[in-house]
CSV table of all heavy atoms in Angstrom, one decimal:
chain,number,residue,atom,x,y,z
X,312,LEU,N,142.7,91.7,73.8
X,312,LEU,CA,142.2,92.4,75.0
X,312,LEU,C,142.8,91.8,76.3
X,312,LEU,O,143.6,92.5,77.0
X,312,LEU,CB,140.7,92.4,75.0
X,312,LEU,CG,140.0,93.4,74.0
X,312,LEU,CD1,138.5,93.1,73.8
X,312,LEU,CD2,140.2,94.8,74.5
X,313,ASN,N,142.4,90.6,76.6
X,313,ASN,CA,143.0,89.9,77.8
X,313,ASN,C,142.6,88.5,77.7
X,313,ASN,O,141.8,88.0,77.0
X,313,ASN,CB,142.5,90.6,79.0
X,313,ASN,CG,141.0,90.6,79.2
X,313,ASN,OD1,140.3,89.6,79.1
X,313,ASN,ND2,140.4,91.9,79.3
X,314,PRO,N,143.2,87.6,78.6
X,314,PRO,CA,143.0,86.2,78.6
X,314,PRO,C,141.6,85.8,78.8
X,314,PRO,O,141.1,84.8,78.3
X,314,PRO,CB,143.9,85.7,79.7
X,314,PRO,CG,145.0,86.7,79.8
X,314,PRO,CD,144.4,88.0,79.5
X,315,LEU,N,140.9,86.5,79.7
X,315,LEU,CA,139.5,86.2,80.0
X,315,LEU,C,138.6,86.3,78.8
X,315,LEU,O,137.8,85.4,78.4
X,315,LEU,CB,138.9,87.0,81.1
X,315,LEU,CG,137.5,86.8,81.5
X,315,LEU,CD1,137.2,85.4,82.0
X,315,LEU,CD2,137.0,87.8,82.6
X,316,CYS,N,138.7,87.4,78.1
X,316,CYS,CA,138.0,87.7,76.8
X,316,CYS,C,138.3,86.6,75.8
X,316,CYS,O,137.4,86.1,75.1
X,316,CYS,CB,138.3,89.1,76.3
X,316,CYS,SG,137.6,90.4,77.2
X,317,PHE,N,139.5,86.3,75.7
X,317,PHE,CA,139.9,85.2,74.7
X,317,PHE,C,139.4,83.9,75.1
X,317,PHE,O,138.9,83.1,74.2
X,317,PHE,CB,141.5,85.2,74.6
X,317,PHE,CG,142.0,84.2,73.6
X,317,PHE,CD1,141.6,84.2,72.3
X,317,PHE,CD2,142.8,83.2,74.0
X,317,PHE,CE1,142.1,83.3,71.3
X,317,PHE,CE2,143.3,82.2,73.1
X,317,PHE,CZ,142.9,82.3,71.7
X,318,ALA,N,139.4,83.5,76.3
X,318,ALA,CA,138.9,82.2,76.8
X,318,ALA,C,137.4,82.1,76.6
X,318,ALA,O,136.9,81.0,76.3
X,318,ALA,CB,139.3,82.0,78.3
X,319,LEU,N,136.7,83.2,76.7
X,319,LEU,CA,135.2,83.2,76.6
X,319,LEU,C,134.7,83.4,75.2
X,319,LEU,O,133.5,83.2,74.9
X,319,LEU,CB,134.6,84.3,77.5
X,319,LEU,CG,134.7,84.1,79.0
X,319,LEU,CD1,134.2,85.4,79.7
X,319,LEU,CD2,134.0,82.9,79.5
X,320,SER,N,135.6,83.8,74.3
X,320,SER,CA,135.2,84.1,72.9
X,320,SER,C,134.5,82.9,72.2
X,320,SER,O,133.5,83.1,71.5
X,320,SER,CB,136.4,84.6,72.0
X,320,SER,OG,137.4,83.6,72.0
X,321,PRO,N,135.0,81.6,72.3
X,321,PRO,CA,134.2,80.5,71.7
X,321,PRO,C,132.8,80.3,72.3
X,321,PRO,O,131.9,80.0,71.6
X,321,PRO,CB,135.1,79.3,72.0
X,321,PRO,CG,136.5,79.8,72.2
X,321,PRO,CD,136.2,81.1,72.9
X,322,VAL,N,132.7,80.5,73.6
X,322,VAL,CA,131.4,80.4,74.3
X,322,VAL,C,130.5,81.5,73.7
X,322,VAL,O,129.3,81.2,73.4
X,322,VAL,CB,131.6,80.6,75.8
X,322,VAL,CG1,130.2,80.5,76.5
X,322,VAL,CG2,132.5,79.6,76.4
X,323,ALA,N,131.0,82.7,73.6
X,323,ALA,CA,130.2,83.8,73.0
X,323,ALA,C,129.7,83.5,71.6
X,323,ALA,O,128.5,83.7,71.3
X,323,ALA,CB,131.0,85.1,73.0
X,324,ILE,N,130.5,82.9,70.8
X,324,ILE,CA,130.2,82.6,69.4
X,324,ILE,C,129.0,81.5,69.4
X,324,ILE,O,128.1,81.6,68.6
X,324,ILE,CB,131.4,82.1,68.6
X,324,ILE,CG1,132.3,83.3,68.3
X,324,ILE,CG2,130.9,81.4,67.3
X,324,ILE,CD1,133.6,82.9,67.7
X,325,ILE,N,129.2,80.5,70.3
X,325,ILE,CA,128.1,79.5,70.4
X,325,ILE,C,126.8,80.1,70.8
X,325,ILE,O,125.7,79.8,70.2
X,325,ILE,CB,128.5,78.4,71.4
X,325,ILE,CG1,129.7,77.6,70.8
X,325,ILE,CG2,127.3,77.4,71.6
X,325,ILE,CD1,130.3,76.6,71.8
X,326,LEU,N,126.8,81.0,71.8
X,326,LEU,CA,125.6,81.6,72.3
X,326,LEU,C,124.9,82.5,71.2
X,326,LEU,O,123.7,82.4,70.9
X,326,LEU,CB,125.9,82.5,73.5
X,326,LEU,CG,126.3,81.7,74.8
X,326,LEU,CD1,126.7,82.7,75.9
X,326,LEU,CD2,125.1,80.8,75.2
X,327,ILE,N,125.7,83.4,70.5
X,327,ILE,CA,125.1,84.3,69.6
X,327,ILE,C,124.7,83.6,68.3
X,327,ILE,O,123.8,84.1,67.6
X,327,ILE,CB,126.1,85.5,69.2
X,327,ILE,CG1,127.4,85.0,68.6
X,327,ILE,CG2,126.4,86.3,70.5
X,327,ILE,CD1,128.4,86.1,68.3
X,328,SER,N,125.3,82.5,68.0
X,328,SER,CA,124.9,81.7,66.8
X,328,SER,C,123.6,80.8,67.1
X,328,SER,O,122.8,80.7,66.2
X,328,SER,CB,126.0,80.8,66.3
X,328,SER,OG,127.1,81.6,66.0
X,329,SER,N,123.5,80.3,68.3
X,329,SER,CA,122.4,79.4,68.6
X,329,SER,C,121.1,80.1,68.6
X,329,SER,O,120.1,79.4,68.5
X,329,SER,CB,122.7,78.7,69.9
X,329,SER,OG,122.9,79.6,71.0
X,330,TYR,N,121.1,81.4,68.8
X,330,TYR,CA,119.8,82.1,68.8
X,330,TYR,C,119.0,81.8,67.5
X,330,TYR,O,117.8,81.7,67.6
X,330,TYR,CB,120.0,83.6,68.8
X,330,TYR,CG,118.8,84.4,68.2
X,330,TYR,CD1,117.6,84.4,68.9
X,330,TYR,CD2,118.9,85.0,67.0
X,330,TYR,CE1,116.5,85.1,68.3
X,330,TYR,CE2,117.9,85.7,66.4
X,330,TYR,CZ,116.7,85.7,67.1
X,330,TYR,OH,115.6,86.3,66.5
X,331,SER,N,119.6,81.6,66.4
X,331,SER,CA,119.0,81.4,65.1
X,331,SER,C,118.0,80.2,65.1
X,331,SER,O,117.1,80.1,64.3
X,331,SER,CB,120.0,81.3,64.0
X,331,SER,OG,120.9,82.4,64.0
X,332,TYR,N,118.2,79.3,66.0
X,332,TYR,CA,117.4,78.1,66.1
X,332,TYR,C,116.3,78.1,67.1
X,332,TYR,O,115.4,77.2,67.1
X,332,TYR,CB,118.3,76.8,66.3
X,332,TYR,CG,119.4,76.6,65.3
X,332,TYR,CD1,120.7,77.1,65.4
X,332,TYR,CD2,119.0,76.0,64.1
X,332,TYR,CE1,121.6,76.9,64.4
X,332,TYR,CE2,120.0,75.8,63.1
X,332,TYR,CZ,121.3,76.2,63.2
X,332,TYR,OH,122.2,76.1,62.2
X,333,THR,N,116.4,79.1,68.0
X,333,THR,CA,115.4,79.0,69.1
X,333,THR,C,114.0,79.2,68.7
X,333,THR,O,113.1,78.7,69.4
X,333,THR,CB,115.8,80.1,70.2
X,333,THR,OG1,115.8,81.4,69.5
X,333,THR,CG2,117.1,79.9,70.8
X,334,LYS,N,113.7,79.9,67.7
X,334,LYS,CA,112.3,80.2,67.2
X,334,LYS,C,111.7,78.9,66.7
X,334,LYS,O,110.5,78.8,66.6
X,334,LYS,CB,112.3,81.2,66.2
X,334,LYS,CG,110.9,81.9,66.0
X,334,LYS,CD,110.9,83.1,65.1
X,334,LYS,CE,109.5,83.7,65.1
X,334,LYS,NZ,109.4,84.9,64.1
X,335,ARG,N,112.4,77.9,66.6
X,335,ARG,CA,111.9,76.6,66.1
X,335,ARG,C,111.3,75.7,67.2
X,335,ARG,O,110.6,74.8,67.0
X,335,ARG,CB,113.0,75.8,65.4
X,335,ARG,CG,113.4,76.4,64.0
X,335,ARG,CD,114.8,75.9,63.6
X,335,ARG,NE,115.1,76.2,62.2
X,335,ARG,CZ,115.5,77.4,61.8
X,335,ARG,NH1,115.5,78.4,62.6
X,335,ARG,NH2,115.8,77.6,60.5
X,336,PHE,N,111.6,76.1,68.5
X,336,PHE,CA,111.2,75.3,69.6
X,336,PHE,C,110.7,76.0,70.9
X,336,PHE,O,110.2,75.4,71.8
X,336,PHE,CB,112.2,74.2,69.9
X,336,PHE,CG,113.5,74.8,70.5
X,336,PHE,CD1,113.7,75.1,71.8
X,336,PHE,CD2,114.6,75.0,69.6
X,336,PHE,CE1,114.9,75.6,72.3
X,336,PHE,CE2,115.8,75.5,70.0
X,336,PHE,CZ,115.9,75.8,71.4
Side-chain angles (χ1 to χ4, degrees):
L312 285 166
N313 57 56
L315 178 61
C316 289
F317 181 57
L319 291 176
S320 59
V322 179
I324 288 174
I325 292 172
L326 289 175
I327 61 181
S328 300
S329 56
Y330 155 72
S331 303
Y332 298 98
T333 55
K334 202 172 182 182
R335 290 158 169 76
F336 62 87

